[in-house]
Amino acid sequence: MKTIKRRKINGVLVPFTLKPRKKYPFRTPIPPRSIVKVKTSPSKRWRENIGRRFRVGYYSWKDGLDCIWLVNEVGKYEQTIDHDFLQKYFEIDTVSKERSLYGRNRPQFEPVN
C-alpha cells in the first residue's frame, strides 16, 4: 500500500496536494465573438448547416464554460454545443480578442452583414 505524502502546516500533518495544472477539465474556452464554421455534419439535421457561420456567444454562469452558445446571422442565440463537438464538427475562422467570458456590461450581438 502506497503512503500518502504529508506536510506540516501550523504543527499539524495534512495531506500534500498540488494545485491543478489546468484551470478547466477541457480545453481553454474559445473566446466569445469568435467566428466558427460548420465543416461536417454529425446527423441529418446538421447537413443543411454545412458551411454556415456562427459567432460564439457569451457564456452563462448557470451553464458553465463547457456550454458554448452559437449566435446566428441575425444576432440571436440559437443553439448550444460543447468543446468536444466544436473540435470535431466545426472549423474556427477567427479567434476574438474578447476578454470577458460572461459579457458583463457588453452590448448585444448585432446582425452579421
Side-chain angles (χ1 to χ4, degrees), residues 12-59:
V12 180
L13 285 174
V14 295
F16 181 75
T17 57
L18 294 172
K19 290 183 179 179
R21 291 184 182 179
K22 290 185 178 180
K23 189 173 181 181
Y24 310 107
F26 47 86
R27 293 174 186 83
T28 304
I30 185 167
R33 297 186 168 265
S34 298
I35 297 176
V36 295
K37 184 170 72 172
V38 182
K39 65 179 178 181
T40 61
S41 100
S43 66
K44 290 181 181 179
R45 290 190 306 174
W46 275 86
R47 283 191 188 144
E48 61 194 31
N49 291 329
I50 292 178
R52 190 170 171 200
R53 301 173 97 191
F54 292 97
R55 275 188 286 179
V56 174
Y58 291 110
Y59 296 92

Side-chain angles (χ1 to χ4, degrees), residues 3-16:
T3 60
I4 299 173
K5 292 183 181 180
R6 297 184 182 270
R7 63 184 174 153
K8 276 191 176 184
I9 296 181
N10 296 331
V12 180
L13 285 174
V14 295
F16 181 75

Side-chain angles (χ1 to χ4, degrees), residues 17-106:
T17 57
L18 294 172
K19 290 183 179 179
R21 291 184 182 179
K22 290 185 178 180
K23 189 173 181 181
Y24 310 107
F26 47 86
R27 293 174 186 83
T28 304
I30 185 167
R33 297 186 168 265
S34 298
I35 297 176
V36 295
K37 184 170 72 172
V38 182
K39 65 179 178 181
T40 61
S41 100
S43 66
K44 290 181 181 179
R45 290 190 306 174
W46 275 86
R47 283 191 188 144
E48 61 194 31
N49 291 329
I50 292 178
R52 190 170 171 200
R53 301 173 97 191
F54 292 97
R55 275 188 286 179
V56 174
Y58 291 110
Y59 296 92
S60 168
W61 286 100
K62 292 179 183 178
D63 297 333
L65 291 175
D66 196 27
C67 182
I68 301 171
W69 283 90
L70 297 178
V71 179
N72 62 12
E73 300 84 11
V74 183
K76 302 280 184 184
Y77 285 81
E78 188 174 297
Q79 32 196 329
T80 61
I81 58 173
D82 63 354
H83 283 85
D84 294 333
F85 194 85
L86 177 80
Q87 193 71 24
K88 264 187 186 174
Y89 302 109
F90 284 80
E91 179 180 311
I92 299 173
D93 283 352
T94 59
V95 177
S96 171
K97 293 183 180 180
E98 179 70 47
R99 294 179 66 196
S100 173
L101 293 177
Y102 298 105
R104 292 190 69 179
N105 301 323
R106 299 288 199 266

